[in-house]
Amino acid sequence: IYNEDKKGVQLQTHPNVDKKLFTSESLIGLKNPEKSFPLNSDVGVLKWRLQTTDDAFIPLTINCWPSESGNGCDVNIEYELQEENLELNDVVITIPLPSGVGSPVIGDIDGDYHHDSRRNILEWCLPVIDAKNKIGRA
């Protein structure tokens, strides 16, 4: 990870990550190589944040097109990669759903989806977004 970007990106490493190694060589490694992160468990090792009002820095746009139908609401959602030189991996777009309406009916969708009825969300999962599939729909 090379953070020579002057756009205002803030990076924060996990407490067990060697911060000196990350700062000097842009590598993520453990402070103590004798220890490891838990297996089969998602652990965030690097958090990043970009706070800006300039839309030119947005790598991915997402548009929602709701329309009322006879028995509810139809929603078309689409994404578009704004910078073709980027490759985004394991993208999950979380869509909030109203409670008490049951499972959503999904038509054509790029990628996969998972409905979490306990949290009232639909997760739209896209393994790769790059120049070859810069536009997608759900």
Side-chain angles (χ1 to χ4, degrees):
I1 295 175
Y2 298 101
N3 188 25
E4 297 182 23
D5 181 26
K6 304 298 182 219
K7 299 175 186 173
V9 175
Q10 299 171 358
L11 300 173
Q12 180 181 9
T13 58
H14 187 280
N16 292 340
V17 168
D18 185 340
K19 289 180 185 20
K20 289 180 184 175
L21 178 67
F22 180 72
T23 303
S24 64
E25 298 182 40
S26 298
L27 295 174
I28 295 177
L30 291 169
K31 277 186 208 175
N32 182 351
E34 302 296 318
K35 291 187 173 184
S36 66
F37 285 106
L39 295 175
N40 301 319
S41 178
D42 290 337
V43 176
V45 294
L46 178 69
K47 292 182 181 180
W48 62 272
R49 177 180 174 166
L50 171 64
Q51 200 166 356
T52 182
T53 56
D54 187 351
D55 288 350
F57 292 136
I58 298 173
L60 185 71
T61 58
I62 301 170
N63 290 302
C64 298
W65 304 98
S67 60
E68 288 188 39
S69 65
N71 58 349
C73 181
D74 292 333
V75 179
N76 292 301
I77 302 173
E78 52 190 33
Y79 71 81
E80 183 173 357
L81 184 66
Q82 299 300 306
E83 295 186 35
E84 291 191 21
N85 62 329
L86 289 179
E87 178 179 298
L88 305 176
N89 293 289
D90 300 322
V91 176
V92 178
I93 299 171
T94 303
I95 304 159
L97 300 172
S99 59
V101 296
S103 296
V105 177
I106 308 296
D108 290 335
I109 188 168
D110 295 322
D112 294 312
Y113 71 92
H114 169 71
H115 175 231
D116 186 335
S117 58
R118 185 180 57 78
R119 295 175 30 211
N120 293 320
I121 60 169
L122 179 73
E123 293 180 327
W124 182 15
C125 306
L126 300 147
V128 177
I129 298 174
D130 59 12
K132 294 176 188 161
N133 64 334
K134 66 183 245 174
I135 297 173
R137 293 173 181 82

